[in-house]
Amino acid sequence: MIDAGKTLPESAPMVIIGGGIVGVSTLYHLAHRGVPAVLLERRKIASGTTWHAAGIVGQLRDSTAQTELGKYTAKLFQDLEAETGQATGYKQNGTINIALGNVRHEQLLRSHDHAARMGIATHMLCREEVAEKWPWIVTDDIKSGLLVPSNGQVNPLDVSVALDKGARALGAVRFEDIEVRNLIVKNGKVAGVHTDQGDIATSKVLLAGGMWSHLFAKTHGVTLPLHAVEHCYIVTEPMEELPRDQPILNIVEERTYWKEDAGKLLIGAFEAMGKPWGSDGIPKDFEFDELPFDMEHVESELEAMFARMPKLGEMGIQTFFNGPESFTPDGRPYLGPAPEIEGLFIASGMNSNGILNSGGVGLTMAEWMTDGDPSHSMGALLTARAHPFQSNTKYVHDRSAEAIGLHYGVPWAGRQTVTTRNVRKVPLHDHLKEAGAVFAERIGWEVPMYYDPDNQEWSEEPALGWKPWSSQVRAECLAARDDAVLIDQSMYAKILVQGRDAVKALNRVCGAEIYVPTGTSVYTQFLNARGGIEADVTITRIGHNAFLVITGHPSQTRDKAWIKRHANPEWQFEIFDATSAYGLLTIHGPNSREILSLISGDDVSNCALPFGAAREIDVAYARGWAIRRSFLGELGYELLVATEFVQGVYAAVLEAGRGQGLTHMGMFAMNACRLEKGFRHFGHDIGEDDTPYESGLGFAVDLEKPDDFLGKESLAEQKSGGPATRYRMVSMVVDDLEAETGPWLIHNEPIWKNGEIVGHVTSGDWGFRLDKMVGLASLHKDSGVSRTWIDEGGFEVQIAGEFYAARMQLAPLYDPTGEIMRG
């Protein structure tokens, strides 16, 4: 049905598919930017998932950028009513997060520290204070609570109507009861949308269709891994003693949340293993509908609710509600351009956070669609992080059952998935398992995290400091220092870029000069227009017009898309995903050269194969590339061989390593070693808002190279201002911590100096070669972070509320001169 007085336009600058809160928020923000976009909704605004959401509005996120978007959403909900005259039901009731055990208590203390850095006021509550604010619940077993007073709640349907009203007042157009049947795509680009009531020509489309989005995207060859899962909550009869400003309560260890709802109590749950729904497609007539309440399925959560609040047994339950919400494999939404079709943008898979994300997501998508890039980093949420296999509907069906459980529950480094395992295996998987590998799942890959032949079972007991596997990790790190280790990194992405203009395509996105002699390996970053880091890669020139990009396994799709997106359409080159074509075995340690020489007749001495060089050599009975690199900071070699030769090369390496102390190493030990060496990890230490100069990677930028590259102007301006930038990444060590008893650096711990927060830890771990707590930190000073300011010391790191003296330095902690790695 088309609104009276309106006809479906023949064309529009942008079209939004989906009238849930994310779609109407984007429409609203586009309208504020002067873009008269068109929104098409299959039924009525907010009639899919939005209308039955709990409406909780939180702000604190892992990163500064996403926290700012959360804060923006809260403010938007406060201002909307004045702007539109439409009530939103927004109330700043605050939230209280509860800790029942020691690990969760430490996490709340860490969140309290992190919130201060983010500029969000929080208060730690003792058991008695929690009881005072929630007198109806059992508090005997509560250790602590974290109150965030500025959080709130909103009526999802009302706020959607307000956003819709505000958008239309500024010239946006919205149609209900229109089915978008498919996209019109020409030459790989969006050309329009085809509906049941006609076509609209457009060059930009936002798919914000919620739980409908997966199958719609799949029909167009676009990977969008999400699936609807049943979500249940109960609503009590009215409670006279329940104040309207009652703080929201979250008890993640019991997987429940509690909130006031029009004088009643709404209590919901995110069970450990949920029930997927709608695998064959969401019914076309689904509108403001609910699903049958499965009492048996949520029995344990209901028991926890009634045990926590015995009074519930005497109260009437007005509603047993069950409604579907979309969840993604990693519990994060998909935002941004779809790499498969130019002009298609995605904002779907909100994982029950659609309301609290809506304002920030709408603003971000409006920026993306009009400016080409968002103003804040969205790296962890990029649509392009999805891998093609994840479009498999059975995969997202099975994984979504567990994904709803990832929403609650205590997160920690050992928290493992149990569904959709063994989807992707490296060729040596069975051999590594026989050697004692303990695997974790990473984007379908089975990745060896550590080796323990005597116990290959993950511990299910959360730990934030010393872990059940720390002894094994220590042994692996010391073997790298003293003898040799072997790491299978075959899951890392390998992207072959070849053709006459391959060097131009790579030089366009890279800060370093890629026009190097064949047999040279270049460490560099892909950059954006702001000079920020989009990828952290090595590129080896393996032929006159052939280059091999090696990047992390999560970046397999996004890095290919970044090259394509910024290439001149007239350039002649091709990109081939060679990840499965090659194995990548790496050997490190003082005995690694001897091991390699035993399986190759070629000269692998420092003169013949210096650091950064690459040569095609004999390896056992194969030919492969030996690349002189090491992410551990030890003497090391990366062996790139065709997949069919990997098992033979592996056997030869093991045989040669028998007398050299060779042992296997997993990802936990590699991470500990790279932190000692100060090597940055993309996604933790560096990202889209960080420049190479701020990150201590200025050596990888060549401002003099003849080819223009993304961010060159910004980086040149930053460099001309001198070495004292406002942000700077440093290595850090905390001397007064003990491995087995003290708290550990993990991520986001604030750094203090002279009573002020001057930075934060980007990643931390125990450094077993140095026997110290080590990490990387981003320091900030408006007048410039100088070497003198760093060297004068006086830094403290705040870990779970306690302060510890910390030493900061620009040079790596381990082998600061690089003599070992380059020897």
Side-chain angles (χ1 to χ4, degrees):
M1 180 184 73
I2 297 177
D3 289 354
K6 293 183 180 179
T7 58
L8 200 66
E10 294 183 356
S11 64
M14 300 177 190
V15 172
I16 298 170
I17 302 174
I21 193 166
V22 169
V24 293
S25 177
T26 305
L27 185 73
Y28 169 87
H29 286 92
L30 285 172
H32 271 272
R33 286 180 154 240
V35 180
V38 173
L39 183 146
L40 305 175
E41 164 55 38
R42 49 172 291 281
R43 285 293 184 253
K44 295 292 187 292
I45 293 297
S47 64
T49 293
T50 298
W51 72 276
H52 62 71
I56 298 173
V57 182
Q59 303 168 77
L60 189 61
R61 307 286 198 282
D62 185 60
S63 72
T64 302
Q66 292 177 41
T67 297
E68 289 301 319
L69 293 180
K71 292 163 71 174
Y72 170 80
T73 298
K75 186 177 185 305
L76 174 66
F77 288 168
Q78 296 176 59
D79 297 342
L80 260 180
E81 186 169 342
E83 176 187 344
T84 65
Q86 168 67 44
T88 63
Y90 182 78
K91 297 188 297 181
Q92 200 172 66
N93 288 12
T95 58
I96 299 175
N97 295 292
I98 294 298
L100 303 179
N102 292 331
V103 170
R104 184 58 181 164
H105 172 61
E106 182 179 333
Q107 288 180 333
L108 294 188
L109 289 171
R110 288 171 176 266
S111 293
H112 182 50
D113 297 344
H114 175 50
R117 185 176 74 85
M118 295 289 100
I120 297 176
T122 57
H123 307 286
M124 289 298 300
L125 305 178
C126 65
R127 178 184 302 149
E128 291 74 21
E129 290 171 313
V130 173
E132 182 180 343
K133 294 183 179 296
W134 271 87
W136 313 283
I137 66 170
V138 174
T139 57
D140 294 348
D141 59 343
I142 290 177
K143 291 192 70 70
S144 64
L146 177 68
L147 172 64
V148 188
S150 58
N151 284 348
Q153 59 190 68
V154 72
N155 184 304
L157 188 56
D158 288 345
V159 78
S160 299
V161 172
L163 288 166
D164 175 56
K165 185 176 180 180
R168 289 190 289 146
L170 292 171
V173 181
R174 179 264 292 157
F175 297 98
E176 295 179 318
D177 297 308
I178 290 187
E179 179 189 351
V180 178
R181 291 180 172 168
N182 57 264
L183 302 175
I184 301 171
V185 180
K186 296 180 180 178
N187 299 318
K189 300 179 181 180
V190 166
V193 295
H194 172 61
T195 81
D196 60 350
Q197 299 184 40
D199 296 346
I200 303 177
T202 186
S203 60
K204 293 182 180 180
V205 170
L206 173 66
L207 177 57
M211 55 190 172
W212 285 267
S213 298
H214 165 68
L215 291 178
F216 183 87
K218 187 176 181 179
T219 61
H220 295 85
V222 173
T223 300
L224 181 49
L226 59 85
H227 200 285
V229 182
E230 298 182 12
H231 175 53
C232 299
Y233 58 74
I234 62 174
V235 182
T236 69
E237 294 290 347
M239 281 180 62
E240 292 184 5
E241 66 273 37
L242 185 67
R244 294 302 178 97
D245 60 353
Q246 180 65 28
I248 299 157
L249 190 69
N250 294 309
I251 312 177
V252 300
E253 288 152 297
E254 294 180 344
R255 300 184 169 278
T256 62
Y257 63 89
W258 310 56
K259 64 172 286 248
E260 183 276 337
D261 187 72
K264 307 159 192 173
L265 194 57
L266 184 153
I267 314 171
F270 292 97
E271 61 273 28
M273 198 63 68
K275 286 182 62 179
W277 177 79
S279 293
D280 297 328
I282 312 300
K284 286 190 175 183
D285 60 352
F286 193 89
E287 178 183 6
F288 296 114
D289 283 349
E290 57 184 283
L291 307 175
F293 193 92
D294 188 340
M295 196 78 68
E296 183 177 352
H297 176 69
V298 293
E299 182 179 5
S300 62
E301 286 74 28
L302 289 172
E303 289 177 349
M305 296 174 191
F306 280 77
R308 182 61 56 188
M309 184 175 170
K311 183 179 178 179
L312 287 176
E314 305 167 7
M315 299 173 59
I317 304 300
Q318 187 181 80
T319 303
F320 288 89
F321 183 85
N322 182 10
E325 299 184 6
S326 58
F327 286 83
T328 66
D330 58 11
R332 303 193 302 266
Y334 288 97
L335 306 178
E340 299 90 345
I341 300 176
E342 185 176 340
L344 176 63
F345 294 79
I346 305 291
S348 295
M350 293 297 132
N351 298 275
S352 201
N353 283 330
I355 306 303
L356 62 89
N357 280 333
S358 59
V361 168
L363 172 65
T364 298
M365 297 314 303
E367 291 175 341
W368 230 321
M369 297 177 75
T370 56
D371 300 340
D373 288 295
S375 59
H376 293 84
S377 166
M378 291 291 115
L381 311 180
L382 285 177
T383 296
R385 77 180 187 275
H387 287 211
F389 85 93
Q390 292 180 306
S391 65
N392 181 293
T393 300
K394 178 172 174 52
Y395 166 81
V396 291
H397 170 278
D398 293 352
R399 185 58 173 268
S400 67
E402 188 174 15
I404 190 173
L406 298 176
H407 193 61
Y408 270 31
V410 177
W412 70 294
R415 186 180 183 185
Q416 295 302 311
T417 58
V418 296
T419 60
T420 62
R421 295 300 298 264
N422 297 307
V423 176
R424 307 170 85 179
K425 295 181 180 180
V426 297
L428 294 177
H429 176 272
D430 292 349
H431 294 285
L432 301 180
K433 184 176 180 62
E434 185 177 346
V438 182
F439 295 95
E441 185 270 344
R442 300 288 185 268
I443 315 184
W445 288 108
E446 294 296 318
V447 179
M449 303 306 291
Y450 67 97
Y451 286 80
D452 186 356
D454 297 326
N455 180 17
Q456 292 179 274
E457 297 297 322
W458 279 102
S459 171
E460 296 183 2
E461 189 65 31
L464 302 181
W466 185 267
K467 317 288 193 310
W469 54 78
S470 293
S471 294
Q472 284 72 30
V473 173
R474 182 200 297 255
E476 294 171 18
C477 292
L478 296 185
R481 183 192 66 187
D482 301 333
D483 297 302
V485 294
L486 169 66
I487 310 175
D488 188 347
Q489 296 176 249
S490 298
M491 73 291 298
Y492 277 43
K494 303 116 187 161
I495 302 168
L496 183 62
V497 184
Q498 57 189 3
R500 188 187 70 186
D501 297 316
V503 69
K504 291 182 179 180
L506 289 171
N507 257 337
R508 173 62 179 157
V509 297
C510 292
E513 173 62 76
I514 306 303
Y515 188 72
V516 295
T518 300
T520 303
S521 172
V522 179
Y523 171 64
T524 186
Q525 291 78 41
F526 289 179
L527 303 173
N528 57 39
R530 302 189 301 272
I533 298 170
E534 294 286 340
D536 191 55
V537 304
T538 59
I539 301 177
T540 302
R541 190 167 195 172
I542 60 175
H544 179 64
N545 288 326
F547 300 80
L548 190 69
V549 181
I550 298 180
T551 183
H553 46 290
S555 301
Q556 184 173 343
T557 302
R558 68 171 285 180
D559 290 357
K560 289 187 299 180
W562 195 255
I563 299 170
K564 290 179 181 178
R565 176 181 171 187
H566 295 285
N568 187 321
E570 297 182 359
W571 289 343
Q572 295 183 17
F573 72 99
E574 62 180 3
I575 299 177
F576 173 70
D577 189 336
T579 302
S580 298
Y582 293 99
L584 183 64
L585 303 182
T586 67
I587 50 176
H588 313 262
N591 297 342
S592 60
R593 180 177 286 132
E594 178 64 20
I595 293 171
L596 183 56
S597 67
L598 289 172
I599 65 171
S600 177
D602 291 275
D603 186 356
V604 294
S605 67
N606 198 43
C607 292
L609 192 61
F611 185 79
R615 286 181 57 200
E616 196 169 17
I617 65 172
D618 290 347
V619 190
Y621 292 129
R623 289 283 286 173
W625 282 90
I627 306 169
R628 183 77 187 279
R629 292 283 175 189
S630 174
F631 199 47
L632 278 62
E634 302 287 350
L635 171 66
Y637 301 85
E638 298 177 351
L639 303 180
L640 186 79
V641 296
T643 299
E644 62 266 32
F645 295 104
V646 170
Q647 295 193 43
V649 171
Y650 171 73
V653 170
L654 289 187
E655 180 62 30
R658 290 188 190 280
Q660 304 294 328
L662 180 70
T663 188
H664 290 80
M665 176 181 271
M667 294 295 128
F668 282 143
M670 188 172 78
N671 181 67
C673 289
R674 69 96 186 169
L675 279 170
E676 291 176 306
K677 186 58 181 171
F679 287 148
R680 284 62 167 148
H681 182 279
F682 182 73
H684 284 92
D685 308 303
I686 53 177
E688 296 85 345
D689 291 339
D690 307 301
T691 73
Y693 292 125
E694 295 166 347
S695 305
L697 301 173
F699 65 87
V701 176
D702 184 357
L703 292 173
E704 303 302 320
K705 72 178 187 178
D707 287 337
D708 192 21
F709 63 92
L710 290 171
K712 180 177 181 178
E713 184 176 336
S714 297
L715 292 176
E717 181 179 356
Q718 188 174 62
K719 186 176 182 181
S720 67
T725 61
R726 293 175 62 234
Y727 295 91
R728 190 62 193 267
M729 182 154 288
V730 296
S731 291
M732 64 177 292
V733 60
V734 186
D735 293 307
D736 296 334
L737 293 176
E738 299 292 333
E740 298 189 23
T741 58
W744 283 29
L745 296 178
I746 301 174
H747 181 58
N748 272 333
E749 294 86 356
I751 305 293
W752 293 76
K753 182 173 182 175
N754 297 328
E756 295 181 349
I757 295 178
V758 296
H760 68 284
V761 177
T762 56
S763 54
D765 203 346
W766 190 263
F768 291 103
R769 293 178 299 186
L770 296 173
D771 202 24
K772 296 284 186 182
M773 181 62 66
V774 301
L776 288 169
S778 176
L779 299 181
H780 169 253
K781 191 169 185 283
D782 286 338
S783 60
V785 179
S786 66
R787 181 183 292 272
T788 301
W789 183 74
I790 295 171
D791 291 345
E792 71 185 14
F795 296 97
E796 291 182 302
V797 61
Q798 186 178 11
I799 311 175
E802 300 294 327
F803 290 84
Y804 303 87
R807 292 187 286 119
M808 308 287 172
Q809 63 184 55
L810 291 171
L813 299 165
Y814 183 78
D815 185 29
T817 64
E819 181 179 350
I820 295 174
M821 186 172 65
R822 298 175 182 275

mmCIF file of all heavy atoms in Angstrom, residues 339-360:
data_model
loop_
_atom_site.group_PDB
_atom_site.id
_atom_site.type_symbol
_atom_site.label_atom_id
_atom_site.label_comp_id
_atom_site.label_asym_id
_atom_site.label_seq_id
_atom_site.Cartn_x
_atom_site.Cartn_y
_atom_site.Cartn_z
ATOM 1 N N PRO A 339 31.042 -6.293 -0.116
ATOM 2 C CA PRO A 339 32.124 -6.365 -1.100
ATOM 3 C C PRO A 339 31.709 -6.964 -2.437
ATOM 4 O O PRO A 339 32.377 -6.753 -3.447
ATOM 5 C CB PRO A 339 33.167 -7.250 -0.403
ATOM 6 C CG PRO A 339 32.424 -8.020 0.622
ATOM 7 C CD PRO A 339 31.292 -7.135 1.058
ATOM 8 N N GLU A 340 30.585 -7.689 -2.465
ATOM 9 C CA GLU A 340 30.193 -8.368 -3.704
ATOM 10 C C GLU A 340 29.508 -7.456 -4.719
ATOM 11 O O GLU A 340 29.571 -7.707 -5.925
ATOM 12 C CB GLU A 340 29.253 -9.538 -3.381
ATOM 13 C CG GLU A 340 29.864 -10.611 -2.500
ATOM 14 C CD GLU A 340 29.645 -10.360 -1.001
ATOM 15 O OE1 GLU A 340 29.271 -9.213 -0.644
ATOM 16 O OE2 GLU A 340 29.838 -11.292 -0.207
ATOM 17 N N ILE A 341 28.808 -6.409 -4.246
ATOM 18 C CA ILE A 341 28.044 -5.541 -5.146
ATOM 19 C C ILE A 341 28.333 -4.086 -4.790
ATOM 20 O O ILE A 341 28.076 -3.655 -3.658
ATOM 21 C CB ILE A 341 26.532 -5.812 -5.048
ATOM 22 C CG1 ILE A 341 26.210 -7.259 -5.413
ATOM 23 C CG2 ILE A 341 25.755 -4.852 -5.940
ATOM 24 C CD1 ILE A 341 24.737 -7.625 -5.241
ATOM 25 N N GLU A 342 28.834 -3.330 -5.737
ATOM 26 C CA GLU A 342 29.117 -1.921 -5.496
ATOM 27 C C GLU A 342 27.800 -1.149 -5.318
ATOM 28 O O GLU A 342 26.863 -1.306 -6.095
ATOM 29 C CB GLU A 342 29.896 -1.335 -6.669
ATOM 30 C CG GLU A 342 30.338 0.105 -6.460
ATOM 31 C CD GLU A 342 31.185 0.633 -7.597
ATOM 32 O OE1 GLU A 342 31.761 -0.189 -8.360
ATOM 33 O OE2 GLU A 342 31.267 1.878 -7.748
ATOM 34 N N GLY A 343 27.736 -0.345 -4.270
ATOM 35 C CA GLY A 343 26.546 0.457 -4.007
ATOM 36 C C GLY A 343 25.582 -0.181 -3.023
ATOM 37 O O GLY A 343 24.609 0.455 -2.613
ATOM 38 N N LEU A 344 25.840 -1.442 -2.630
ATOM 39 C CA LEU A 344 24.992 -2.102 -1.639
ATOM 40 C C LEU A 344 25.636 -1.974 -0.261
ATOM 41 O O LEU A 344 26.803 -2.326 -0.068
ATOM 42 C CB LEU A 344 24.797 -3.578 -1.978
ATOM 43 C CG LEU A 344 24.000 -4.402 -0.943
ATOM 44 C CD1 LEU A 344 22.576 -3.881 -0.809
ATOM 45 C CD2 LEU A 344 23.999 -5.883 -1.322
ATOM 46 N N PHE A 345 24.858 -1.470 0.693
ATOM 47 C CA PHE A 345 25.310 -1.319 2.067
ATOM 48 C C PHE A 345 24.452 -2.209 2.962
ATOM 49 O O PHE A 345 23.292 -2.492 2.658
ATOM 50 C CB PHE A 345 25.197 0.139 2.522
ATOM 51 C CG PHE A 345 26.122 1.073 1.794
ATOM 52 C CD1 PHE A 345 25.811 1.534 0.519
ATOM 53 C CD2 PHE A 345 27.302 1.498 2.373
ATOM 54 C CE1 PHE A 345 26.666 2.395 -0.160
ATOM 55 C CE2 PHE A 345 28.159 2.361 1.717
ATOM 56 C CZ PHE A 345 27.839 2.806 0.445
ATOM 57 N N ILE A 346 25.053 -2.632 4.073
ATOM 58 C CA ILE A 346 24.392 -3.543 4.995
ATOM 59 C C ILE A 346 24.346 -2.914 6.378
ATOM 60 O O ILE A 346 25.301 -2.291 6.835
ATOM 61 C CB ILE A 346 25.143 -4.885 5.095
ATOM 62 C CG1 ILE A 346 25.342 -5.521 3.710
ATOM 63 C CG2 ILE A 346 24.430 -5.841 6.046
ATOM 64 C CD1 ILE A 346 24.089 -6.022 3.054
ATOM 65 N N ALA A 347 23.221 -3.094 7.065
ATOM 66 C CA ALA A 347 23.105 -2.765 8.490
ATOM 67 C C ALA A 347 22.123 -3.763 9.085
ATOM 68 O O ALA A 347 20.935 -3.483 9.243
ATOM 69 C CB ALA A 347 22.638 -1.333 8.701
ATOM 70 N N SER A 348 22.632 -4.941 9.415
ATOM 71 C CA SER A 348 21.759 -6.032 9.863
ATOM 72 C C SER A 348 22.483 -6.880 10.898
ATOM 73 O O SER A 348 23.702 -6.827 11.035
ATOM 74 C CB SER A 348 21.345 -6.925 8.678
ATOM 75 O OG SER A 348 20.539 -6.225 7.758
ATOM 76 N N GLY A 349 21.680 -7.706 11.601
ATOM 77 C CA GLY A 349 22.247 -8.630 12.570
ATOM 78 C C GLY A 349 22.607 -7.948 13.871
ATOM 79 O O GLY A 349 23.752 -7.996 14.323
ATOM 80 N N MET A 350 21.632 -7.362 14.533
ATOM 81 C CA MET A 350 21.917 -6.534 15.701
ATOM 82 C C MET A 350 22.087 -7.323 17.003
ATOM 83 O O MET A 350 22.441 -6.760 18.024
ATOM 84 C CB MET A 350 20.806 -5.493 15.883
ATOM 85 C CG MET A 350 20.770 -4.464 14.771
ATOM 86 S SD MET A 350 22.244 -3.455 14.660
ATOM 87 C CE MET A 350 22.595 -3.564 12.910
ATOM 88 N N ASN A 351 21.833 -8.618 16.992
ATOM 89 C CA ASN A 351 22.097 -9.454 18.179
ATOM 90 C C ASN A 351 21.443 -8.903 19.441
ATOM 91 O O ASN A 351 22.068 -8.798 20.498
ATOM 92 C CB ASN A 351 23.601 -9.589 18.389
ATOM 93 C CG ASN A 351 24.305 -10.265 17.235
ATOM 94 O OD1 ASN A 351 24.366 -11.478 17.157
ATOM 95 N ND2 ASN A 351 24.825 -9.455 16.318
ATOM 96 N N SER A 352 20.178 -8.540 19.325
ATOM 97 C CA SER A 352 19.383 -8.038 20.445
ATOM 98 C C SER A 352 19.892 -6.696 20.977
ATOM 99 O O SER A 352 19.525 -6.281 22.072
ATOM 100 C CB SER A 352 19.334 -9.059 21.597
ATOM 101 O OG SER A 352 18.225 -8.819 22.428
ATOM 102 N N ASN A 353 20.734 -6.009 20.179
ATOM 103 C CA ASN A 353 21.219 -4.681 20.558
ATOM 104 C C ASN A 353 20.747 -3.611 19.578
ATOM 105 O O ASN A 353 21.340 -2.536 19.497
ATOM 106 C CB ASN A 353 22.754 -4.670 20.610
ATOM 107 C CG ASN A 353 23.293 -5.340 21.861
ATOM 108 O OD1 ASN A 353 22.652 -5.326 22.908
ATOM 109 N ND2 ASN A 353 24.460 -5.943 21.750
ATOM 110 N N GLY A 354 19.694 -3.907 18.849
ATOM 111 C CA GLY A 354 19.244 -2.975 17.820
ATOM 112 C C GLY A 354 18.819 -1.626 18.361
ATOM 113 O O GLY A 354 19.109 -0.592 17.761
ATOM 114 N N ILE A 355 18.130 -1.610 19.498
ATOM 115 C CA ILE A 355 17.661 -0.335 20.044
ATOM 116 C C ILE A 355 18.832 0.509 20.513
ATOM 117 O O ILE A 355 18.970 1.678 20.152
ATOM 118 C CB ILE A 355 16.667 -0.579 21.209
ATOM 119 C CG1 ILE A 355 15.527 -1.499 20.758
ATOM 120 C CG2 ILE A 355 16.128 0.754 21.707
ATOM 121 C CD1 ILE A 355 14.740 -1.014 19.569
ATOM 122 N N LEU A 356 19.710 -0.071 21.314
ATOM 123 C CA LEU A 356 20.819 0.713 21.855
ATOM 124 C C LEU A 356 21.854 1.061 20.784
ATOM 125 O O LEU A 356 22.637 1.994 20.951
ATOM 126 C CB LEU A 356 21.465 0.009 23.047
ATOM 127 C CG LEU A 356 22.129 -1.352 22.860
ATOM 128 C CD1 LEU A 356 23.588 -1.200 22.473
ATOM 129 C CD2 LEU A 356 22.036 -2.161 24.156
ATOM 130 N N ASN A 357 21.873 0.318 19.663
ATOM 131 C CA ASN A 357 22.781 0.643 18.558
ATOM 132 C C ASN A 357 22.176 1.621 17.558
ATOM 133 O O ASN A 357 22.899 2.221 16.763
ATOM 134 C CB ASN A 357 23.165 -0.635 17.796
ATOM 135 C CG ASN A 357 24.250 -1.436 18.472
ATOM 136 O OD1 ASN A 357 25.076 -0.888 19.195
ATOM 137 N ND2 ASN A 357 24.251 -2.736 18.244
ATOM 138 N N SER A 358 20.857 1.776 17.584
ATOM 139 C CA SER A 358 20.148 2.377 16.456
ATOM 140 C C SER A 358 20.589 3.792 16.102
ATOM 141 O O SER A 358 20.771 4.121 14.927
ATOM 142 C CB SER A 358 18.642 2.357 16.716
ATOM 143 O OG SER A 358 18.334 3.074 17.901
ATOM 144 N N GLY A 359 20.724 4.655 17.093
ATOM 145 C CA GLY A 359 21.109 6.033 16.781
ATOM 146 C C GLY A 359 22.480 6.102 16.163
ATOM 147 O O GLY A 359 22.683 6.730 15.106
ATOM 148 N N GLY A 360 23.455 5.447 16.801
ATOM 149 C CA GLY A 360 24.816 5.459 16.286
ATOM 150 C C GLY A 360 24.940 4.774 14.948
ATOM 151 O O GLY A 360 25.673 5.239 14.063
#
